[in-house]
Amino acid sequence: MPAYEADPTGPWWSDAVVYQIYPRSFADSDADGIGDVRGIIERLDHLTMLGVDVLWLSPIYPSPQDDNGYDISDYQAVDPLFGTLADFDLLLERVHERGVKLIIDLVVNHTSDEHPWFTASRDGGPEGPWRDWYIWRPPREGMRPGEPGAEPNNWESWFSGPAWTLDEAGGQYYLHTFSPKQPDLNWENPAVRQAVHRMMHWWLDRGVDGFRMDVINLISKDPALPDGTVREGSRYGDGKPYFVGGPRLHEYLAEMHREVFAGRPRGLLTVGETPGVTVEEARLLTDPARRELDMVFQFDHMSLDEGPGGKFDVWPLRLTELKATLGRWQTGLGEKGWNSLYWNNHDQPRAVSRFGDDSPPHRDRSAKLLATVLHLHRGTPYIYQGEELGMANAPLATIEDFRDIESLRHHRDRTARGHREEDVLRGLRHRGRDNARTPMQWDATEHAGFTTGTPWLPVNPDHTTVNAEAQLADPYSVFHFYRRLIALRHTEPAIVHGDFHLLHPGHEQLYAFTRRHPATGTELLVLANVGGSALTVGLPGGWEHSETLIANVPAVPPLTTPYTLQPWEARVQRRAVPL
């Protein structure tokens, strides 16, 4: 059991730390090169030692694997790739034995095109009883099915190309905001919502502790499905204003809470992935009085290194913009609602390569700095597998090194339109999702201890020096630093409940803020030098005699003013303040 008790002034998850497992890449128990549930069970001691409170399991449902499991063909089973329902039940039992909770992915904006619901919707034709379980439309008025531009509107899919695919047999198009093999469910249909609710009950009755809800703010679309604005250089329109945070979103989520969660014992967790959400919208979604979601993932800080060309148009990241963005969310959800804190996940490149410095001189220290900054903000921190080791982006040289559908479709679309191959690859190397999906680095053996077979995605060659086995033996490793951070969160109320005040917002290298908790008479000061050169700073008054709680440098020098922060140095100070 975790060696702490949750603060009674807030829900249990405000004190918690969540660890995301991407099952395909975590641990392989049967030598087929793909991670599985039994592999997770075998590695639970790693997570217990780390001290996390919640495991979030990415999809293990049956799937054609067009989008690595986010295209689900059966919501109430386990794909044989990952094991069996009996394996899952054993995992749940072993996790609960350790005093840890388990949440699973809920992917209900869309299904696989091989889900029985969709095959019935398609094969029954326009008049069939299952037709309105999905979003079907005829061609544009006056145009024939399949004719260029005949799609019902001009929306672009999130994975490049049109957001509509023609069913030639029926002569109509179906909407897919992602891959053509991921048709969008029609949430306007009450039968769809009721089926989703029944499925959620089935998993909760089985013992899961909640859900991370994939792109949940896309479930409500503007029924008119109007054309979107065409971005310069694109052939398609941006439909996001019409399907992100749609007109009935709050109604659907309130209904879900009422029909699924109300009346159940406390202790369940609902986390909404909400691309494009604003602070104001997030405050509504996470306001406890509204009974919609407990917290959301927002993406504002994930778009700061994007140019006008979108995700793969990589621009330099400015620290001032990062601080302002995260600070705005700290303030915006400070009194009402709650933040999810993260640097990376299965959809994002590795944090130490993106926000830190993954070169050998600075890698460990910058990984620890990023952890310090994140975990000292107000909200629930999320650790993505390997982040606690400082795992970095993979050396992806050619398009043959990529596996992810988003990257492959982007490459195909851009090169077909005449973009230079090297320019396209540059963006993919920086932002491609394969960076996050290389196998977990357990040891220095050939396949990093992930599998004795051939891994589905090559292991990062740096696993010979960056791996769990080596870091467990090193008390100064990134892993043990994460352990200390998590333990600190469990024992210091100011981290969970204190207010947030950003210092030096215009400084291009210093990330500094305070967390003040008047109820305990405690104030924390976080100092982080986000750069490879030393930095001398003046301190707010009265901090010279404060206590150092944690630092990422050896032999921590006393805090003086002015103080010189070494490259990528981070430290957290504590002092008493008047009640």
Side-chain angles (χ1 to χ4, degrees), residues 330-347:
Q330 289 288 291
T331 302
L333 299 186
E335 299 299 325
K336 188 178 294 184
W338 193 251
N339 280 292
S340 297
L341 308 173
Y342 73 101
W343 287 129
N344 46 212
N345 56 39
H346 65 290
D347 284 335

Side-chain angles (χ1 to χ4, degrees), residues 37 57 60 84-92 102 104 203 208:
V37 176
L57 201 62
I60 56 171
T84 65
L85 268 174
D87 293 334
F88 176 82
D89 290 340
L90 180 61
L91 171 64
L92 194 59
L102 179 69
I104 61 175
W203 283 107
V208 303

Side-chain angles (χ1 to χ4, degrees), residues 190-212:
V192 169
R193 304 198 300 273
Q194 291 163 10
V196 169
H197 298 161
R198 287 193 297 271
M199 174 266 291
M200 295 173 70
H201 275 295
W202 189 85
W203 283 107
L204 291 173
D205 290 343
R206 204 165 198 96
V208 303
D209 301 295
F211 302 95
R212 176 267 186 185

Side-chain angles (χ1 to χ4, degrees), residues 131-176:
R131 193 64 162 186
D132 64 351
W133 279 59
Y134 294 83
I135 300 172
W136 293 91
R137 293 292 186 274
R140 286 183 187 265
E141 187 175 355
M143 302 190 75
R144 295 187 301 275
E147 188 177 349
E151 293 86 1
N153 66 28
N154 68 355
W155 292 359
E156 182 174 20
S157 158
W158 222 294
F159 288 168
S160 302
W164 297 90
T165 289
L166 174 67
D167 171 42
E168 295 186 2
Q172 289 192 345
Y173 293 83
Y174 65 86
L175 177 68
H176 52 87

Side-chain angles (χ1 to χ4, degrees), residues 535-552:
L535 175 66
T536 299
V537 297
L539 300 179
W543 283 99
E544 296 88 340
H545 304 292
S546 59
E547 172 192 7
T548 302
L549 293 183
I550 193 168
N552 69 345

Side-chain angles (χ1 to χ4, degrees), residues 246-255 281 284-285 290 292:
R248 300 184 66 185
L249 174 64
H250 294 287
E251 174 191 343
Y252 293 156
L253 292 177
E255 178 187 58
E281 186 77 359
L284 294 175
L285 290 167
R290 294 173 59 88
E292 296 183 23

Side-chain angles (χ1 to χ4, degrees), residues 285-297:
L285 290 167
T286 62
D287 180 352
R290 294 173 59 88
R291 299 177 184 269
E292 296 183 23
L293 298 171
D294 293 324
M295 63 186 84
V296 299
F297 287 120

